[in-house]
Amino acid sequence: MSAIAVPLPRRLAVALALTACLAAPAALAQQKIQQQMSAEQFKNAGLNKLDDQELANLNAWLNRTLDTETSKAVVKAQEETAHERRGFFDKSPAREPVVARMTGRFEGFSRGQTYVLDNGQEWRQDDNADLPGVKLDSPQVRIAPSVIGNAWYLSVQGYNTRAKVVRVK
């Protein structure tokens, strides 16, 4: 059996790159600031005027600040990744409904039809639900997860019929 390559979503790739970038400065932060700067940079910043205790306090503050900001960035990247993954088959805790507008004309449900939303997501209908005679321009839609399992259902504002959909983009 061959493995299927699944591209990382853009935000996940950014989160991983951000984590890697933040790890390098974190390692540098464990060094003293005077070791990270050239002698000229250190002097131009006026840091040569600090006594040993003031310099130690500055280094401690920089280390705490860098640790705090790194933690905040990681949490934010994880939240954005979870939000971006909504609707894809995963164990993500982000199961809140998607509310958006469909782009273009909606002329009812049809199995296999792909619905493009104004937020860039694309969903394909995976059941035989139909909604004959409906013709709407860019209607508001709600895509909500099922109570059990990983199914998602699309409904168009003003109509009770729901279609089972699968996120494709």
Side-chain angles (χ1 to χ4, degrees), residues 16-84:
L16 291 174
L18 178 62
T19 302
C21 288
L22 291 174
L28 284 176
Q30 300 310 314
Q31 297 178 11
K32 296 177 181 175
I33 193 167
Q34 59 271 37
Q35 295 169 331
Q36 296 177 44
M37 302 173 87
S38 71
E40 183 179 344
Q41 291 172 323
F42 190 77
K43 182 179 178 187
N44 289 343
L47 298 176
N48 60 326
K49 299 173 189 170
L50 301 177
D51 64 32
D52 289 342
Q53 185 58 48
E54 291 170 329
L55 202 49
N57 290 340
L58 176 61
N59 281 316
W61 180 85
L62 287 171
N63 289 337
R64 280 191 312 275
T65 300
L66 187 57
D67 289 344
T68 301
E69 293 305 313
T70 300
S71 296
K72 286 180 188 177
V74 168
V75 168
K76 183 176 180 185
Q78 289 170 339
E79 288 171 354
E80 288 177 354
T81 299
H83 178 76
E84 186 68 23

Side-chain angles (χ1 to χ4, degrees), residues 40-155:
E40 183 179 344
Q41 291 172 323
F42 190 77
K43 182 179 178 187
N44 289 343
L47 298 176
N48 60 326
K49 299 173 189 170
L50 301 177
D51 64 32
D52 289 342
Q53 185 58 48
E54 291 170 329
L55 202 49
N57 290 340
L58 176 61
N59 281 316
W61 180 85
L62 287 171
N63 289 337
R64 280 191 312 275
T65 300
L66 187 57
D67 289 344
T68 301
E69 293 305 313
T70 300
S71 296
K72 286 180 188 177
V74 168
V75 168
K76 183 176 180 185
Q78 289 170 339
E79 288 171 354
E80 288 177 354
T81 299
H83 178 76
E84 186 68 23
R85 297 278 309 147
R86 281 189 305 170
F88 282 122
F89 187 75
D90 69 336
K91 304 279 188 221
S92 169
R95 292 192 44 88
E96 68 271 4
V98 175
V99 177
R101 289 208 168 273
M102 197 176 289
T103 61
R105 189 113 169 114
F106 174 72
E107 296 184 356
F109 292 127
S110 174
R111 183 181 193 98
Q113 183 168 341
T114 298
Y115 305 102
V116 179
L117 306 183
D118 63 356
N119 64 7
Q121 296 179 359
E122 293 182 18
W123 297 76
R124 185 184 65 244
Q125 185 173 333
D126 201 31
D127 68 0
N128 291 322
D130 66 349
L131 197 56
V134 176
K135 296 181 188 308
L136 302 168
D137 287 316
S138 303
Q140 182 170 337
V141 298
R142 175 182 167 95
I143 303 174
S146 61
V147 176
I148 299 174
N150 198 43
W152 290 76
Y153 291 90
L154 181 143
S155 59

